Amino acid sequence: MSLSSSSAPAAGATLSARLGLTAPIIQAPMAGTATPALAAAVSNAGGLGSLGVGAMNATAAQAAIAQTRALTTRPFGVNVFCHAPARADADVEAAWLRYLAPEFERYGAKPPAALKEIYTSYLVDTDMQAMLLREKPAVVSFHFGLPAQEHIDALRAAGILLMATATNLDEARQIEAAGIDAIVAQGIEAGGHRGIFNPRAQDDRLGTLALSRLLVTHTRLPVIAAGGIMDGAGIVAVLALGAELAQMGTAFVTCPESAADAAYRQNLLGHDQVSTTHTAAISGRLARGVRNRLTALGEAANAPLVPDYPITYDAGKALHAAAKAHGDNTYGAHWAGQAAPLARALPAAELVAQLQAERAAVLRAMAAGPV
């Protein structure tokens, strides 16, 4: 479903109107965790469900889109990774494998002989680009940067609504100049990969509230707030700052429709405190997740440089698999935001309804004023 039909709302309408949403909620794409069942359930409940296809090839991504369309007639989004293709460095990769070798030995395993770039960047994935132009999902969103301008123009001409992640005002202005329809303001609180365009540039580490307000004030595009939003009160807060929608990832990880395994869910549920950290040790780019043995290895004083993204992921996945085979889940990529202790184990449709009820309750309390 694209938005190219003559019955689609005008481009000047709100994002909710353009997408036919009844809940101001986007389920974050979450590559590897979001599923067709999760995306469809959120869309059917009135929000915008999303698929993260950054770790897929075009064939797998097309199949995921088809599976989602079999479960919903509502709009949903597809997210791609626009990182610079990895730069291999044999010395850096060998040093990282030597560093991890004792961890593999704990489980009677050996590290890979060499590491490879396990995901293809959308910037150079012409098969994925062509597939999205054929399939025309309602929404395509970009993370880690933007593709070539001619491709952006082709997607827009196909009637696809475009979104892109910004972590600062400069990135937001690049998004605006490229003709993207909306900006996802990713605060430092957010779980998963930091969407900064240039991972070697200075990062001001802006929080969701500050970033959202900056982008609402200094750009003309609709803003979608992302990072640390887990309940109806959080949604009210970001909408009050001028964001049109709230994007929520960690809140949906613990839904039964997600692909999160039991250990991932256990790390998030039933805890008053869930300690998270930004680490590049798992994938090669900064991402916020639950602290574990692999994040600690990355923070150690003697840790060598990590290989480029996503080459590092090849080592991390192999180590996690070796440990998991022995019942140890302390090397997993359990991405989570700073407000993870607020996670709930609800089916996605029930969670959307609960978020809407909480939002309504907060608004009623605000309207009633102080007691």
Side-chain angles (χ1 to χ4, degrees), residues 25 95 142 164 191 211 287 367:
I25 296 165
F142 308 120
L211 178 62

Side-chain angles (χ1 to χ4, degrees), residues 20-280:
L21 307 184
T22 57
I25 296 165
I26 297 177
Q27 164 249 314
M30 300 185 295
T33 301
T35 64
L38 178 61
V42 173
S43 289
N44 286 336
L48 182 72
S50 306
L51 299 173
V53 303
M56 298 181 187
N57 60 28
T59 300
Q62 185 173 17
I65 290 170
Q67 291 164 20
T68 308
R69 284 177 168 158
L71 298 171
T72 185
T73 59
R74 306 286 301 162
F76 60 90
V78 176
N79 177 261
V80 293
F81 291 164
C82 296
H83 56 283
R87 297 182 296 184
D89 187 318
D91 292 338
V92 170
E93 292 154 21
W96 185 245
L97 288 172
R98 286 195 299 272
Y99 180 62
L100 295 181
E103 304 300 313
F104 280 93
E105 290 171 5
R106 294 175 65 185
Y107 307 99
K110 293 184 178 180
L115 298 176
K116 57 186 181 297
E117 184 178 9
I118 60 173
Y119 307 145
T120 301
S121 170
Y122 187 73
L123 299 184
V124 296
D125 193 343
T126 55
D127 289 341
M128 186 77 80
Q129 293 172 8
M131 183 275 292
L132 290 181
L133 285 169
R134 289 194 309 271
E135 293 295 325
K136 298 181 176 61
V139 175
V140 169
S141 60
F142 308 120
H143 203 63
F144 297 144
L146 299 172
Q149 187 63 50
E150 56 265 31
H151 183 62
I152 291 172
D153 295 342
L155 290 168
R156 292 200 73 196
I160 300 169
L161 190 148
L162 302 179
M163 303 175 179
T165 299
T167 64
N168 57 53
L169 183 56
D170 179 66
E171 291 171 352
R173 286 176 169 153
Q174 292 180 57
I175 290 167
E176 186 172 34
I180 306 297
D181 296 288
I183 306 168
V184 178
Q186 188 196 36
I188 197 68
E189 304 95 327
H193 281 93
R194 186 94 172 118
I196 192 167
F197 285 19
N198 179 2
R200 295 173 178 83
Q202 175 179 312
D203 186 352
D204 289 336
R205 302 173 65 84
L206 296 170
T208 302
L209 299 185
L211 178 62
S212 296
R213 191 61 192 158
L214 281 170
L215 301 194
V216 167
T217 302
H218 291 294
T219 73
R220 297 183 299 275
L221 293 183
V223 171
I224 300 150
I229 307 167
M230 294 290 289
D231 58 18
I235 296 171
V236 170
V238 296
L239 298 189
L241 291 174
E244 288 197 14
L245 301 173
Q247 180 167 290
M248 306 169 70
T250 308
F252 287 98
V253 169
T254 46
C255 292
E257 297 93 339
S258 92
D261 64 17
Y264 193 173
R265 295 170 192 274
Q266 185 177 355
N267 272 338
L268 301 185
L269 292 170
H271 305 289
D272 292 334
Q273 295 185 27
V274 178
S275 182
T276 67
T277 186
H278 269 139
T279 185

